[in-house]
């Protein structure tokens, strides 16, 4: 009986061949399943491939994870087209000119301003300010839903083209006198200028830098408004007679007719000085030039020097 029990125990501990085969099959099956789920394996399944295609894979030569998106070239921004240079170049002028002079140019495409070291100093505007007075009148009329009569437009033409003082005073009264200059400073974002102590238009103080800003304010339509800007610029291109001097005269004749201008010239007996001012509006720029010198030297001296300063700043070939 004891021997039979020992034999039974040995038989119970020994695995049958069928049981061993079953265990082997299960183990092989588990290995194959693992290989099918392993990305990069020869047995990789389509599901595993999709799981692994999340933008990150392994470099099979090194086993190092790589980002497929990183292998793509980064998008490059399109190069900005370069702007044509303005006809002017910034430089220090050392001209043989008596008295004080200053200049400034504004790039209408970028808003950048260049100028002389003293471009923030002011001069009394004289007739140059009439460009604003007419612009202010026209814009306010349009804002009120009114169209100036033919007679008023004729007066405005004489103010711009011929620098008529009597009509300029009438327009100045109609736009509120010094209130109009305050609007100029605010709307055109001037930084150096001020209303005249006596409230008159002629002694408004502008700098060459603010003169260039005034020109841009007219060119962009801020000054005269969308309805009248084109009309005003055309009138300024048609300035004639004594007021046709200065900046645009430095350009070739074919280009002069495309440049809008408004100049100012006056003898200040109180200060015993001549004040000559030039404003010009080109297609991509605006410019202000101012000169001040002893009264006995006459108007022509300053008018010629406005042109002389401009020529000294032009790029070669202009």
């Amino acid at each position: 009986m004891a021997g039979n029990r020992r034999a039974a125990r040995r038989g119970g501990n020994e695995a049958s061949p069928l049981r061993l085969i079953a265990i082997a099959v299960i183990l092989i099956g588990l290995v194959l399943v693992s290989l099918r789920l392993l990305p990069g394996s020869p047995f990789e399944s389509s599901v595993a491939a999709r799981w692994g295609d999340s933008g990150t894979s392994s470099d099979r030569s090194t086993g190092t994870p790589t980002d497929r998106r990183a292998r793509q070239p980064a998008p490059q921004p399109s190069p900005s087209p370069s702007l044509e240079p303005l006809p002017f170049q910034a430089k220090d002028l050392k001209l043989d000119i008596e008295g004080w002079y200053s200049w400034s140019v504004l790039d209408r495409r970028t808003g950048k301003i260049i100028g002389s070291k003293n471009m923030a100093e002011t001069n009394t505007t004289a007739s140059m300010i009439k460009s604003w007075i007419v612009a202010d009148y026209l814009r306010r009329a349009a804002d009120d839903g009114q169209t100036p009569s033919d007679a008023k437009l004729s007066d405005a033409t004489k103010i711009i083209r011929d620098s008529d003082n009597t009509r300029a005073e009438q327009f100045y009264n109609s736009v509120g006198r010094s209130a109009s200059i305050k609007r100029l400073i605010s709307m055109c974002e001037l930084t150096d200028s001020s209303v005249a102590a006596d409230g008159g238009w002629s002694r408004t103080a502008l700098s060459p830098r603010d003169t260039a800003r005034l020109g841009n304010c007219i060119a962009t339509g801020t000054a005269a408004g969308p309805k009248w800007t084109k009309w005003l610029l055309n009138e300024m291109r048609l300035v004639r007679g004594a007021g046709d001097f200065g900046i645009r005269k430095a350009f070739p004749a074919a280009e002069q007719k495309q440049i809008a201008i408004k100049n100012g010239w006056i003898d200040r007996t109180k200060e015993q000085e001549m004040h000559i001012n030039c404003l010009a509006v080109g297609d991509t720029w605006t410019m202000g030039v101012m000169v001040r010198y002893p009264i006995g030297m006459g108007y022509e001296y300053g008018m010629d020097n406005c042109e002389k300063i401009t020529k000294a700043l032009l790029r070669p070939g202009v």
Side-chain angles (χ1 to χ4, degrees):
M1 292 295 291
N4 289 337
R5 285 194 295 270
R6 284 195 296 270
R9 283 197 297 271
R10 284 198 299 269
N13 291 334
E14 290 174 358
S16 69
L18 291 176
R19 185 178 181 185
L20 292 173
I21 291 171
I23 292 171
V25 169
I26 292 172
L27 290 174
I28 291 170
L30 291 173
V31 170
L32 289 175
V33 170
S34 298
L35 289 173
R36 285 173 61 79
L37 293 175
L38 180 64
S41 166
F43 303 99
E44 178 183 4
S45 69
S46 60
V47 174
R50 286 197 295 272
W51 287 352
D53 191 17
S54 60
T56 303
S57 63
S58 295
D59 186 330
R60 295 180 183 179
S61 64
T62 64
T64 304
T66 59
D67 190 335
R68 294 179 186 177
R69 288 166 296 189
R71 294 201 298 267
Q72 300 298 322
Q76 298 296 319
S78 301
S80 300
S82 57
L83 297 175
E84 289 291 326
L86 295 180
F88 309 96
Q89 51 190 344
K91 58 182 178 181
D92 291 331
L93 298 182
K94 295 182 179 179
L95 304 176
D96 184 18
I97 295 178
E98 185 77 19
W100 172 91
Y101 65 91
S102 181
W103 64 274
S104 184
V105 172
L106 183 148
D107 188 330
R108 289 179 53 197
R109 303 163 299 181
T110 65
K112 181 181 178 181
I113 296 176
I114 59 174
S116 55
K117 293 178 181 178
N118 60 350
M119 66 178 174
E121 296 180 16
T122 63
N123 207 26
T124 63
T125 61
S127 293
M128 188 178 73
I129 200 65
K130 293 171 183 173
S131 59
W132 166 258
I133 294 172
V134 171
D136 197 30
Y137 171 82
L138 294 171
R139 186 196 69 261
R140 285 163 58 83
D143 288 348
D144 290 340
Q146 300 175 357
T147 299
S149 65
D150 289 344
K152 280 296 184 182
L153 288 177
S154 178
D155 287 344
T157 290
K158 290 181 173 64
I159 293 170
I160 299 297
R161 295 192 198 182
D162 303 315
S163 208
D164 187 290
N165 286 335
T166 300
R167 290 177 171 84
E169 184 70 18
Q170 292 169 353
F171 271 52
Y172 191 56
N173 287 333
S174 71
V175 294
R177 297 186 65 81
S178 60
S180 177
I181 306 303
K182 291 177 182 177
R183 284 192 294 273
L184 161 64
I185 294 171
S186 174
M187 293 179 63
C188 299
E189 299 181 355
L190 308 188
T191 59
D192 315 316
S193 305
S194 60
V195 177
D198 64 2
W201 52 265
S202 178
R203 281 192 173 271
T204 300
L206 253 64
S207 66
R209 178 167 62 181
D210 279 353
T211 297
R213 288 169 173 155
L214 167 58
N216 190 54
C217 192
I218 292 172
T220 60
T222 300
K227 183 176 181 178
W228 292 104
T229 294
K230 185 176 180 180
W231 183 91
L232 177 59
L233 285 170
N234 185 63
E235 291 301 310
M236 292 172 67
R237 293 186 186 102
L238 297 174
V239 168
R240 59 199 174 192
D244 185 12
F245 64 87
I247 295 170
R248 75 176 174 188
K249 293 294 185 179
F251 287 80
E255 296 181 38
Q256 290 182 22
K257 63 182 67 177
Q258 301 302 319
I259 299 174
I261 66 169
K262 191 70 191 87
N263 298 320
W265 62 103
I266 193 167
D267 53 338
R268 297 289 185 201
T269 55
K270 179 181 178 180
E271 295 88 351
Q272 285 296 292
E273 293 174 339
M274 301 294 296
H275 293 194
I276 311 295
N277 309 296
C278 299
L279 164 65
V281 179
D283 55 351
T284 59
W285 54 270
T286 61
M287 186 176 192
V289 178
M290 294 180 161
V291 296
R292 189 168 61 238
Y293 53 92
I295 195 170
M297 301 181 74
Y299 292 114
E300 293 292 336
Y301 183 78
M303 293 174 173
D304 291 344
N305 280 326
C306 240
E307 179 181 346
K308 181 178 181 179
I309 291 166
T310 307
K311 282 183 176 179
L313 294 167
L314 290 179
R315 293 183 181 277
V318 175

